Amino acid sequence: MSYIYRRGSCPLRREIKIGNEIIHEREWIEIDNGIIKVDLAPLPGLHQETLKESYLDFKNAEYKTPSALFAKECFDFFTGVEDIEIKSNKLLYIDLSNDPKESANACQLNTIYKVKIGRGDLDLERKWLKIFLENLNESIEIRLDGNMSFTVEQLNTYLEDLKLDRVQYIEEPLVNATEWQLIKRSHELEFALDENIGHRRDFHFAKYIIVKPTWNLSLRNTLKELALENQEVVISSAFEPPNNMKILKMLAAEGDQVPGLDTLEYFNLDRLIISPFNII
């Protein structure tokens, strides 16, 4: 099969921090087989491979990197991509400079928000989140994402006086996920696996799995999980560019859960550039 390669780039509306990386622009390589287009788009701070490494991996048909494997499997499994409109969760970062009550009142009704936690001063963040949760409209649900930031002691303190009735689940809050049973309010919360998705058959306390087919689970295994229904599957993304987002939306339409695919809103699409590709 022959492919056409193009370079894609787009500035972000605001900077994002992924791990230790601050990102102002998203770059990728668009691969076109004449039928569908897929993006090689490893995210700095998340993926271990670089953009060049993912390209060479795909070009050499090795498929050792998650981004190259995703592209290969898309070409294997799909003969077309539908442009599906689907409701996704919104992504919300705690900003201590904003009034938490006003932030809660500004949230859209009948919407799910993923709230990143454990990214700053935990005591100040907890106080902000407490007021935020207490002022949410009852039609709004929250997904808390801890990104493995907490010890057991820290999380017990953090959750102690939070209103949890609007929280759908908490995603990977602990450095060691096996210590979840030590969390005093664990019976009030559902647990979602992300970084430890490889243990989904072992961690029976996890009701949800957060699936990023370009990173933490292959496309083939994602389709299996959607069919098996062992756990609730939430299709998510790693700030994927437009071609990949179309594919992920199509996948998400096969599941029962609202996906986490709102990150394209961070792209300044008016300044998106698709240009001839030169070997990097």
Side-chain angles (χ1 to χ4, degrees):
M1 182 179 293
S2 61
Y3 301 101
I4 296 173
Y5 299 90
R6 302 180 185 92
R7 175 183 291 277
S9 65
C10 188
L12 301 177
R13 296 186 185 279
R14 52 167 284 189
E15 69 178 28
I16 57 172
K17 183 177 182 182
I18 308 294
N20 294 320
E21 296 281 344
I22 303 293
I23 301 168
H24 299 271
E25 182 179 40
R26 194 72 166 99
E27 295 184 298
W28 62 92
I29 297 170
E30 178 185 274
I31 311 173
D32 184 352
N33 72 349
I35 302 171
I36 67 172
K37 298 175 183 178
V38 185
D39 300 316
L40 287 174
L43 181 64
L46 181 67
H47 289 79
Q48 293 187 358
E49 73 267 24
T50 65
L51 184 57
K52 180 178 180 179
E53 288 168 343
S54 70
Y55 166 72
L56 293 175
D57 190 24
F58 183 86
K59 189 76 172 174
N60 295 331
E62 295 178 346
Y63 314 122
K64 295 178 181 179
T65 60
S67 44
L69 178 60
F70 175 75
K72 185 259 186 186
E73 290 187 329
C74 285
F75 291 127
D76 285 348
F77 298 154
F78 301 134
T79 56
V81 177
E82 298 178 48
D83 198 352
I84 293 175
E85 287 300 318
I86 192 167
K87 186 173 183 179
S88 303
N89 74 198
K90 299 288 185 182
L91 183 59
L92 190 153
Y93 291 94
I94 293 175
D95 186 343
L96 298 177
S97 67
N98 292 335
D99 182 270
K101 185 175 181 179
E102 291 181 3
S103 295
N105 291 334
C107 289
Q108 297 178 19
L109 302 182
N110 302 302
T111 301
I112 296 177
Y113 284 83
K114 173 183 276 195
V115 180
K116 295 282 189 176
I117 61 173
R119 299 169 69 87
D121 184 297
L122 295 183
D123 186 52
L124 293 176
E125 190 180 282
R126 177 186 58 81
K127 291 176 181 176
W128 191 99
L129 187 60
K130 181 177 187 296
I131 298 170
F132 175 81
L133 291 172
E134 289 171 349
N135 286 277
L136 275 179
N137 184 277
E138 62 181 14
S139 71
I140 297 168
E141 284 191 290
I142 296 297
R143 296 168 169 175
L144 299 177
D145 184 4
N147 287 121
M148 302 176 68
S149 301
F150 295 84
T151 65
V152 168
E153 181 180 0
Q154 287 172 331
L155 189 59
N156 275 327
T157 300
Y158 194 91
L159 296 175
E160 187 173 358
D161 57 355
L162 294 185
K163 191 174 186 288
L164 298 177
D165 61 326
R166 303 256 51 84
V167 178
Q168 182 186 9
Y169 59 68
I170 187 167
E171 180 181 331
E172 289 274 14
L174 293 170
V175 174
N176 183 355
T178 62
E179 296 179 326
W180 176 242
Q181 69 275 8
L182 301 178
I183 300 305
K184 296 174 183 176
R185 300 187 70 185
S186 60
H187 63 286
E188 300 176 61
L189 286 167
E190 299 293 354
F191 190 96
L193 286 175
D194 181 1
E195 289 89 349
N196 281 294
I197 197 170
H199 295 287
R200 60 193 179 280
R201 296 291 178 265
D202 308 316
F203 293 175
H204 302 293
F205 53 83
K207 180 178 179 179
Y208 297 89
I209 55 175
I210 312 303
V211 177
K212 300 182 178 77
T214 62
W215 177 56
N216 68 357
L217 201 67
S218 70
L219 179 56
R220 183 185 300 275
N221 284 328
T222 297
L223 293 169
K224 285 182 180 178
E225 291 298 330
L226 285 167
L228 288 171
E229 299 183 346
N230 287 319
Q231 289 151 309
E232 296 287 335
V233 177
V234 178
I235 301 295
S236 190
S237 68
F239 289 89
E240 293 296 333
N243 293 317
N244 286 359
M245 197 61 73
K246 286 182 182 180
I247 295 167
L248 294 177
K249 285 182 178 181
M250 192 171 69
L251 280 176
E254 300 299 316
D256 297 323
Q257 288 296 326
V258 172
L261 301 177
D262 64 320
T263 53
L264 200 58
E265 295 180 5
Y266 279 70
F267 286 54
N268 189 346
L269 293 175
D270 291 340
R271 296 172 59 192
L272 184 151
I273 297 174
I274 303 296
S275 58
F277 174 74
N278 295 313
I279 301 241
I280 51 179

